[in-house]
Amino acid sequence: MCREWGLTEPDFEFTGTSMVITLRKSKLTEDILKELSERQKEIIEYIKKSGKINRSKAMEILKTSKDTAYRELNNLINKGLLRRKGIGKNVYYILS
């Protein structure tokens, strides 16, 4: 349901005897979206639908080079909108 509403997935924490679920508001307000490039908006929309994106998929949907896709993804990280997960070839990006 969070994805359908454009929110990040909740965090689940098991404390031994309890489970804590943390829901977060989206940082993607209308004002923030106005500041993004069309490429960055495409990346955000893709992540909203599928939950994550990797650089290869960003290259595919943006029809750009590896460096350009990487630059767009890093720009979104620097704006606090994405988080990088994984190591090496298994790196992917999610909404923060």
Side-chain angles (χ1 to χ4, degrees), residues 8 27-29 32-33 36 40 44 47 75-83 94-96:
T8 58
K27 293 180 182 181
L28 299 171
T29 63
I32 295 293
L33 289 174
L36 300 180
Q40 292 168 350
I44 296 293
I47 296 173
N75 193 309
L76 289 167
I77 289 171
N78 293 336
K79 290 180 181 193
L81 300 177
L82 295 187
R83 286 190 297 174
I94 61 171
L95 295 175
S96 36

Side-chain angles (χ1 to χ4, degrees), residues 14-68:
F14 298 98
T15 63
T17 58
S18 302
M19 182 170 80
V20 178
I21 302 171
T22 305
L23 301 169
R24 291 186 173 78
K25 291 186 342 182
S26 176
K27 293 180 182 181
L28 299 171
T29 63
E30 288 299 318
D31 291 337
I32 295 293
L33 289 174
K34 287 178 188 176
E35 296 176 12
L36 300 180
S37 71
E38 288 304 313
R39 289 179 180 161
Q40 292 168 350
K41 289 177 187 176
E42 287 182 57
I43 290 171
I44 296 293
E45 288 305 313
Y46 182 85
I47 296 173
K48 281 183 177 180
K49 291 177 187 169
S50 66
K52 63 182 178 181
I53 194 169
N54 60 26
R55 188 170 55 188
S56 297
K57 185 50 100 171
M59 288 169 51
E60 179 185 322
I61 64 171
L62 300 176
K63 298 175 181 69
T64 62
S65 69
K66 175 173 59 171
D67 291 337
T68 300

